[in-house]
């Protein structure tokens, strides 16, 4: 090891790594009988090696790229929606310098960051007003805090969802100070149930998208239209938490029918909230659209400041929304829409390409074949939709599928697949064309 071995690391990091390693070595000497310690462990070279390893560990970013071969398009733990090139460009542009984030260039006056997004959101949904906060949970919290604090919100028991990682919508709602009035039963709620619950203290009727589950069998649910009718009768606003909130009809592309945000507005919802990074395919954000009358109190509420989005989100969301102005091209431009609707044959070609690259290296212990399977939308979206896909199905002569999974997960660039019947499936629907050769390298490295 030369004198420059540590040249890639800042001196402070090397120093701290050296202290850590020496401390650990000292402890080893104190706690082991000398017979158990090999001389090589104490050689200066070996200690230097450990110091460099430790410095490398300190300097390695914790948050880093992974290859998503799980087939779950909106994988919450893997960061949900990958962004379009235009959104990435917007983030770069607004973050490397200054921008007109809250400055009106026409007049030189102070503006609002919402002005970059509101006209687009209104155009794309038909709403009269819009605002954006940090995520959809924040959107629900803000709407209830501003419109229903210490008053009653009527919700069906069939819609009190846990959205994942033990975050329960009823808890978020209670945090706002609103009083939940639960009506109906888990599987059946009627319009009369809502009607009977309306009283002096009713501030809102709330409809929540069931997102990540479906109740089937003996069920009854009240449509948004019916709720809006009831709300109008008593002058009570109706708020819909759409969860995923698609701006485009997915049915035409063979994905089961989600209400679009525009349809909810057309049917008369006073406010609709949805995520920016689910089916919309943009950055993490909570989008609220509706009438001026109900958006205005949200804008003025002190929480609006606490929940506000940063400039990178504004830039990325605006760029993503601009893609939707071309209703044909958007299916190719927004990665989430592209992945969800890519023809199965095209996914199969990518799987075959991966297989061909591996073929060339003839790995002796690896068995691999292209198989058909099912991808999922994920992120609590389209829970019952099965999207046909193709995977590279792997097994190894000397490793279990679980061991293979672990090795790929812990490789220099992590690869995440899914285990099925003692094989590891790498779903090519969520792997991009540009990742294929890297993925092949990683597989061959592990094999
Ligand atoms: C996902 C989801 C949320 C939370 O949205 P985030 O953007 O993750 O905060 C809230 N409500 C419903 C119905 C959801 O599906």
């Amino acid at each position: 090891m030369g004198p420059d071995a540590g040249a890639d690391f800042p001196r402070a990091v090397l120093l701290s790594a050296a202290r850590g390693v020496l401390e650990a070595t000292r402890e080893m000497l104190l706690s082991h009988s000398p017979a158990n310690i090999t001389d090589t462990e104490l050689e200066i070279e070996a200690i230097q090696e450990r110091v460099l390893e430790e410095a490398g560990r300190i300097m390695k970013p914790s948050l880093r790229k992974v290859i998503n071969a799980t087939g779950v398009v909106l994988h919450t733990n893997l960061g949900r929606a990958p962004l379009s090139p235009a959104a990435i460009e917007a983030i770069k542009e607004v973050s490397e310098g200054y921008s007109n984030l809250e400055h009106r260039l026409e007049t030189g006056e102070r503006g609002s960051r919402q002005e970059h997004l509101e006209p687009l959101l209104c155009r794309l949904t038909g709403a009269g007003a819009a605002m954006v906060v940090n995520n959809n949970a924040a959107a629900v919290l803000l709407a209830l805090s501003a419109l229903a604090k210490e008053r009653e919100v009527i919700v069906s028991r069939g819609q009190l969802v846990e959205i994942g990682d033990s975050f329960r919508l009823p808890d978020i709602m209670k945090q706002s100070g609103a009083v939940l009035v639960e009506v109906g039963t888990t599987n059946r709620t009627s319009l009369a149930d809502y009607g009977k619950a309306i009283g002096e203290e009713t501030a809102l009727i709330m409809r929540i998208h069931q997102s990540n589950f479906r109740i089937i069998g003996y069920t009854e649910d009240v449509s948004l239209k019916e709720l809006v009718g009831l709300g109008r009768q008593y002058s009570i606003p109706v708020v819909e938490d759409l969860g995923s909130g698609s701006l485009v009809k997915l049915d035409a592309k063979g994905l089961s029918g989600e209400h679009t945000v525009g349809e909810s507005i057309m049917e008369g919802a006073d406010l609709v909230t949805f995520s920016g990074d689910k089916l919309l395919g943009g950055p993490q954000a909570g989008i609220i659209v509706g009438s001026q009358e109900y958006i205005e109190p949200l804008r003025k509420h002190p929480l609006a400041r606490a929940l506000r989005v940063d400039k990178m989100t504004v830039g990325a969301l605006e760029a993503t929304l601009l893609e939707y102005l071309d209703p044909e091209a958007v299916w190719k431009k927004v990665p989430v829409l592209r992945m969800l609707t890519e023809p199965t044959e095209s996914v199969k070609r990518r799987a075959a390409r991966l297989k061909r690259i591996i073929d060339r290296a003839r790995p002796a212990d690896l068995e691999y074949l292209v198989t058909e399977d099912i991808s999922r939308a994920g992120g609590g979206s389209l829970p019952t939709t099965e999207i046909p896909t193709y995977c590279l199905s792997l097994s190894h002569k000397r490793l279990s599928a679980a061991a293979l999974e672990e090795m790929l997960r812990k490789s220099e660039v992590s690869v995440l697949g899914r285990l099925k019947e003692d094989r590891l499936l790498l779903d090519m629907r969520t792997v991009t064309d540009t990742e294929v050769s890297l993925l092949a390298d990683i597989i061959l490295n592990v094999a």
Side-chain angles (χ1 to χ4, degrees):
M1 194 176 306
D4 289 340
D8 289 344
F9 299 109
R11 201 183 135 72
V13 171
L14 277 178
L15 213 58
S16 136
R19 285 208 183 97
V21 168
L22 289 179
E23 182 63 27
T25 308
R26 210 172 281 130
E27 265 169 32
M28 180 182 74
L29 284 173
L30 289 173
S31 64
H32 287 62
S33 66
N36 289 339
I37 298 167
T38 61
D39 285 346
T40 50
E41 277 180 288
L42 298 176
E43 269 169 21
I44 186 74
E45 295 274 315
I47 290 176
Q48 270 179 8
E49 193 71 50
R50 292 209 291 280
V51 169
L52 290 181
E53 259 172 41
E54 174 64 6
R57 209 184 49 73
I58 294 171
M59 293 288 285
K60 186 167 175 174
S62 165
L63 181 64
R64 51 187 191 257
K65 174 190 171 69
V66 307
I67 293 180
N68 176 11
T70 64
V72 179
V73 176
L74 294 168
H75 201 303
T76 298
N77 299 355
L78 305 185
R80 288 196 188 152
L83 297 178
S84 68
I88 294 161
E89 186 53 38
I91 291 176
K92 185 170 175 311
E93 197 165 298
V94 297
S95 54
E96 71 190 356
Y98 299 96
S99 64
N100 61 336
L101 184 65
E102 293 191 341
H103 190 84
R104 291 188 188 143
L105 297 174
E106 290 297 314
T107 59
E109 294 161 46
R110 181 184 176 153
S112 154
R113 63 189 64 206
Q114 303 290 343
E115 290 166 18
H116 305 291
L117 299 169
E118 185 176 22
L120 266 174
L121 284 167
C122 291
R123 180 187 288 270
L124 291 167
T125 63
M131 73 179 291
V132 177
V133 290
N134 203 28
N135 58 19
N136 189 30
V140 171
L141 178 67
L142 177 61
L144 295 184
S145 303
L147 302 176
K149 195 177 172 64
E150 282 155 30
R151 297 181 61 213
E152 293 177 356
V153 177
I154 306 176
V155 200
S156 161
R157 289 199 171 88
Q159 297 173 1
L160 293 171
V161 298
E162 175 172 318
I163 50 187
D165 199 23
S166 74
F167 279 102
R168 296 182 166 171
L169 220 55
D171 296 334
I172 295 169
M173 295 172 76
K174 280 178 197 143
Q175 197 62 41
S176 70
V179 180
L180 286 197
V181 177
E182 301 174 14
V183 298
T185 60
T186 305
N187 55 330
R188 289 175 69 88
T189 304
S190 68
L191 190 61
D193 292 326
Y194 284 94
K196 275 182 278 181
I198 292 178
E200 281 292 297
E201 286 305 310
T202 308
L204 292 177
I205 298 172
M206 180 133 184
R207 188 170 199 274
I208 302 164
H209 193 280
Q210 284 177 340
S211 290
N212 47 14
F213 74 106
R214 290 290 177 270
I215 294 174
I216 56 166
Y218 185 55
T219 62
E220 181 178 356
D221 186 21
V222 183
S223 72
L224 175 65
K225 253 191 198 137
E226 292 173 288
L227 286 184
V228 167
L230 183 69
R232 295 279 141 86
Q233 204 180 321
Y234 292 92
S235 301
I236 294 168
V238 175
V239 175
E240 184 172 47
D241 172 12
L242 261 185
S244 272
S246 180
L247 294 180
V248 287
K249 266 289 202 228
L250 297 163
D251 307 52
K253 306 279 175 179
L255 298 164
S256 60
E258 290 273 317
H259 229 233
T260 65
V261 180
E263 283 169 337
S264 292
I265 292 296
M266 200 150 61
E267 288 178 11
D270 294 286
L271 288 181
V272 181
T273 76
F274 57 103
S275 295
D277 56 352
K278 289 186 181 173
L279 288 175
L280 182 72
Q284 179 188 304
I287 302 170
I288 312 167
V289 297
S291 66
Q292 184 68 32
E293 178 186 356
Y294 296 110
I295 294 276
E296 197 53 35
L298 272 57
R299 281 201 191 105
K300 292 195 173 128
H301 194 277
L303 265 182
R305 172 60 187 249
L307 303 175
R308 80 176 183 182
V309 283
D310 84 322
K311 61 189 175 184
M312 289 185 275
T313 304
V314 175
L317 186 56
E318 182 182 27
T320 307
L321 293 172
L322 283 170
E323 306 281 26
Y324 280 87
L325 293 181
D326 184 341
E328 302 301 322
V330 71
W331 298 96
K332 295 253 182 309
K333 293 274 177 68
V334 172
V336 166
L337 295 183
R338 191 184 65 227
M339 284 185 196
L340 286 171
T341 62
E342 182 180 16
T344 318
E345 281 310 303
S346 161
V347 180
K348 186 180 187 179
R349 281 196 293 278
R350 190 153 57 247
R353 210 183 111 217
L354 176 63
K355 182 172 177 297
R356 277 199 307 278
I357 303 176
I358 298 174
D359 280 340
R360 279 184 230 134
R362 303 174 196 277
D365 291 337
L366 196 69
E367 284 171 19
Y368 52 100
L369 61 156
V370 173
T371 57
E372 253 186 296
D373 211 73
I374 300 292
S375 307
R376 298 276 174 186
S381 313
L382 315 172
T384 55
T385 301
E386 299 189 335
I387 310 168
T389 192
Y390 280 92
C391 303
L392 195 69
S393 167
L394 303 178
S395 66
H396 195 277
K397 289 201 179 118
R398 285 174 296 109
L399 295 170
S400 68
L404 197 57
E405 187 276 337
E406 182 179 350
M407 287 179 75
L408 284 175
R409 175 162 41 85
K410 291 184 174 169
S411 64
E412 185 61 25
V413 175
S414 295
V415 175
L416 301 172
R418 60 174 186 268
L419 291 168
K420 186 179 178 185
E421 291 155 11
D422 255 2
R423 298 188 68 91
L424 178 63
L425 300 190
L426 301 180
D427 190 326
M428 298 307 286
R429 183 172 289 282
T430 47
V431 175
T432 63
D433 280 331
T434 53
E435 287 171 335
V436 171
S437 62
L438 173 60
L439 178 55
D441 287 348
I442 298 167
I443 294 169
L444 288 170
N445 213 3
V446 164

